[in-house]
Amino acid sequence: MSKAHTVESLFGALWDDYQHQCPSATAIHKLLGGGKAIINDHVAFRTFNLPEVGLEKLAAHFLALGYEAKGEYRFEQKKLAARHFEHPDPTAPKVFISELLLEQCSTELQDTVKAMVAQLPANAADAPDFLYSGAQWQVSQAQYDALLKESEYAAWLSAFGYRANHFTVDVNALDGYETLEAVNQALKDAGFALNSSGGEIKGSAEVLLEQSSTLADKVAVSFSDDERVIPSCFYEFALRYPKADGQLYTGFVAASADKIFESTDAR
Ligand code: NI
């Protein structure tokens, strides 16, 4: 049994797990940081709004470390609700947690998801390592395909479970890059594919936040019947602008996040 985390140990464990799902993050980290540490703007998680694993269950791990609940967001078309959390230490990554609103989904989807979550050990979400415990359930390729038809988000969760969906580089704190365009160009020059849904840069100086992301890497996932290579996790890049009071904006922009979700779309 693992012991309680500190902010550092939790994000360290999340980063270790994430690099296995998103090997290009290791290379991009080296490319942009030149061997130096990179500050993370935020780390994002996905879940279902069931009592055993809902947003609040994930958030509890961060609240216990001193994080505070901040903005709330809705994504009507994707049937998601989300909330972000901040730590008093501004160098600690912000946390963005979304959850799929199951009551808005088909009964077939609900049944599949409830059967998955029923396979979790009792109080699984309270375990110190829950946030990087992956998919502790069996899902067949046919179930994954059925979920994919209705909700890419649900299909991703069925395959990858609980872990960082993406880390996000804080471009404001990144040496040698003044703009998000410059970061994107460096990535493309090095051969990384960017999510171009809604344009490579989501948001603008006007909404105080610009974001871009790679397309998710692809990894082999063991389904109950066979192994298949599918999109896993991606790396995001965020540049923030100051509010009227001179402080950098710390919230999220729903219209941009909506497009960022599509970085894990099957293609
Ligand atoms: Ni993000």
Side-chain angles (χ1 to χ4, degrees):
M1 196 64 198
S2 46
K3 60 178 168 42
H5 274 296
T6 61
V7 170
E8 257 187 16
S9 72
L10 176 56
F11 285 101
L14 288 165
W15 174 252
D16 286 346
D17 171 75
Y18 167 74
Q19 287 183 93
H20 287 111
Q21 307 304 326
C22 187
S24 64
T26 311
I28 291 173
H29 195 274
K30 211 172 281 174
L31 173 75
L32 296 181
K36 280 183 280 183
I38 282 182
I39 304 276
N40 292 302
D41 179 86
H42 68 272
V43 179
F45 300 87
R46 297 179 174 187
T47 192
F48 303 110
N49 72 336
L50 290 174
E52 302 92 320
V53 293
L55 192 159
E56 303 292 330
K57 282 287 194 181
L58 276 62
H61 291 265
F62 296 101
L63 297 175
L65 294 173
Y67 274 81
E68 294 163 15
K70 299 286 179 181
E72 292 186 276
Y73 312 89
R74 283 304 277 261
F75 305 91
E76 300 297 337
Q77 225 175 354
K78 293 186 172 68
K79 299 172 179 164
L80 304 174
R83 184 132 214 210
H84 97 265
F85 299 82
E86 296 179 23
H87 196 275
D89 173 358
T91 65
K94 287 175 271 298
V95 170
F96 186 91
I97 307 174
S98 57
E99 62 180 2
L100 182 64
L101 306 173
L102 287 179
E103 67 280 6
Q104 297 183 17
C105 302
S106 71
T107 50
E108 290 80 6
L109 183 147
Q110 294 186 39
D111 289 347
T112 301
V113 167
K114 283 174 186 166
M116 278 160 38
V117 170
Q119 295 173 47
L120 291 175
N123 304 314
D126 300 334
D129 61 357
F130 177 66
L131 292 171
Y132 48 96
S133 60
Q136 298 184 79
W137 48 55
Q138 294 287 312
V139 177
S140 68
Q141 293 186 79
Q143 285 176 312
Y144 172 80
D145 288 333
L147 292 174
L148 199 54
K149 275 189 191 148
E150 182 171 347
S151 165
E152 186 282 330
Y153 182 104
W156 186 91
L157 255 176
S158 77
F160 295 100
Y162 296 97
R163 50 175 33 112
N165 170 265
H166 60 273
F167 270 69
T168 307
V169 173
D170 175 350
V171 175
N172 295 79
L174 195 61
D175 280 349
Y177 296 90
E178 295 301 315
T179 64
L180 194 53
E181 283 89 346
V183 170
N184 288 349
Q185 195 57 54
L187 294 170
K188 288 187 284 185
D189 290 348
F192 295 102
L194 298 181
N195 170 355
S196 57
S197 174
E200 283 178 359
I201 294 182
K202 286 78 164 142
S204 62
E206 285 69 37
V207 297
L208 307 180
L209 175 61
E210 289 180 350
Q211 292 165 274
S212 63
S213 66
T214 62
L215 286 172
D217 280 353
K218 289 186 175 180
V219 301
V221 168
S222 295
F223 290 96
S224 58
D225 44 352
D226 203 358
E227 202 174 81
R228 202 201 292 183
V229 176
I230 58 170
S232 52
C233 300
F234 60 91
Y235 212 0
E236 190 186 313
F237 314 92
L239 180 68
R240 294 181 181 275
Y241 290 85
K243 299 175 291 182
D245 65 4
Q247 300 293 310
L248 287 181
Y249 176 65
T250 59
F252 291 81
V253 176
S256 302
D258 191 72
K259 299 295 179 202
I260 295 277
F261 278 118
E262 293 168 18
S263 304
T264 53
D265 279 7
R267 58 187 194 276

